[in-house]
Amino acid sequence: MNFKQLHQQEQALLIANAWDVPSAQQAQELGFQAIGTSSAAIAASFGYEDGEAMAFSTLCFVVERITSQVSLPVTVDIEAGYSDDPLIVVEHIKQLAAFGVVGVNIEDSAVTNGQRSLVDVEVFSIKLAAIKRMLDDEKIEMFVNVRTDPFLLGKHDALTQTLARITCYEQAGADGIFIPCITEKADIESCVQSTSLPINVMCMPQLADFDTLADYGVKRISMGSFIFERGLNQHKACLAEVLSKKSFTPVFSI
């Protein structure tokens, strides 16, 4: 089953978001079907803020190491593509394809001076259509999952904006739609029913369980950087115990 077909299963495709080789290998050992990189987790592990503060070459270094050590399909979060120029974005995607990457996430918001804001829907649609056209012309098979951010940014009309963007991005050639921070049943179902594209949701405290999400029509579920952040918190808690107990007993306790 190829990566695109994994988005048409009865149960939603659960993506294990990785940030390095060990996290990717653990996902493979546990039987996940696919791995997605987390831009926020990789950036944080190198001491950068999310939002393309880290060089694309650093991302490539991490992706190459991951793809060389796992056999699962890997999709890469390229944020906004590291350029407004579709030609440069396609060159970036070609570099990833050379490592064996089968999909990318590209988002319709951008970070400027530390502030994230939505890109104009028409401007982004033109960029997306050009990217897809060039990939098709060069016969590069790449699942382009478009992240749309009205819910992430807490827009008061998030559903209306998201539905309008889904329509535009489907027409521009998107292969899937990722809607981070959407959680309500009615909102999710409205998005699912508005398009033939697979809808991707993200780990959130209020999100329904996986079987329920499949009933809503969700086809892909991802984790963002939350597993990475939980791991860091557990690391800090263990270090704090070592300090307080003046012993390495906490390191070896269950």
Side-chain angles (χ1 to χ4, degrees):
M1 191 179 293
N2 66 32
F3 189 60
K4 193 167 189 177
Q5 290 170 332
L6 291 176
H7 292 76
Q8 301 303 328
Q9 303 173 101
E10 186 175 334
Q11 288 295 311
L13 170 63
L14 181 62
I15 298 280
N17 285 102
W19 53 93
D20 59 10
V21 170
S23 59
Q25 288 176 323
Q26 287 178 342
Q28 179 163 285
E29 289 165 6
L30 288 170
F32 280 83
Q33 291 183 297
I35 291 166
T37 64
S38 165
S39 65
I42 293 174
S45 69
F46 283 92
Y48 293 101
E49 294 291 326
D50 196 22
E52 300 184 1
M54 181 180 72
F56 185 74
S57 59
T58 304
L59 175 63
C60 284
F61 169 76
V62 175
V63 171
E64 188 278 330
R65 296 308 305 145
I66 289 174
T67 55
S68 72
Q69 298 299 312
V70 298
S71 58
L72 291 179
V74 175
T75 180
V76 174
D77 182 352
I78 60 170
E79 305 195 63
Y82 279 79
S83 179
D84 293 329
D85 184 342
L87 184 60
I88 295 175
V89 176
V90 169
E91 288 301 314
H92 289 156
I93 293 173
K94 286 166 66 177
Q95 289 180 58
L96 298 173
F99 302 142
V101 169
V102 297
V104 293
N105 273 18
I106 187 167
E107 58 207 35
D108 66 356
S109 65
V111 177
T112 305
N113 297 324
Q115 289 291 112
R116 182 176 292 279
S117 58
L118 287 167
V119 176
D120 178 83
V121 63
E122 290 187 17
V123 170
F124 186 82
S125 296
I126 291 169
K127 176 182 176 179
L128 174 62
I131 291 167
K132 286 293 295 184
R133 185 171 59 252
M134 284 185 271
L135 290 174
D136 289 344
D137 288 345
E138 299 203 35
K139 295 182 171 51
I140 297 171
E141 289 191 25
M142 187 66 58
F143 190 98
V144 178
N145 199 38
V146 176
R147 193 185 97 179
T148 184
D149 283 352
F151 279 93
L152 182 146
L153 292 171
K155 298 294 184 182
H156 73 279
D157 57 347
L159 179 59
T160 300
Q161 285 202 45
T162 298
L163 292 172
R165 286 173 179 264
I166 289 172
T167 298
C168 291
Y169 302 159
E170 182 170 14
Q171 292 172 350
D175 296 297
I177 300 291
F178 176 27
I179 314 169
C181 301
I182 191 171
T183 58
E184 295 299 319
K185 176 179 186 286
D187 291 341
I188 293 171
E189 290 185 330
S190 292
C191 292
V192 167
Q193 293 162 11
S194 75
T195 180
S196 62
L197 299 179
I199 294 294
N200 177 181
V201 299
M202 183 182 74
C203 166
M204 293 293 289
Q206 313 93 322
L207 198 65
D209 64 71
F210 301 156
D211 287 340
T212 302
L213 290 172
D215 289 340
Y216 297 167
V218 169
K219 290 298 184 183
R220 174 167 162 171
I221 306 166
S222 49
M223 302 174 180
S225 60
F226 293 108
I227 303 293
F228 167 78
E229 290 163 6
R230 176 166 178 168
L232 279 182
N233 288 337
Q234 291 173 329
H235 174 251
K236 185 176 181 180
C238 184
L239 288 179
E241 276 198 274
V242 168
L243 281 174
S244 65
K245 294 184 177 180
K246 300 183 178 177
S247 162
F248 287 120
T249 301
V251 177
F252 302 102
S253 63
I254 296 176

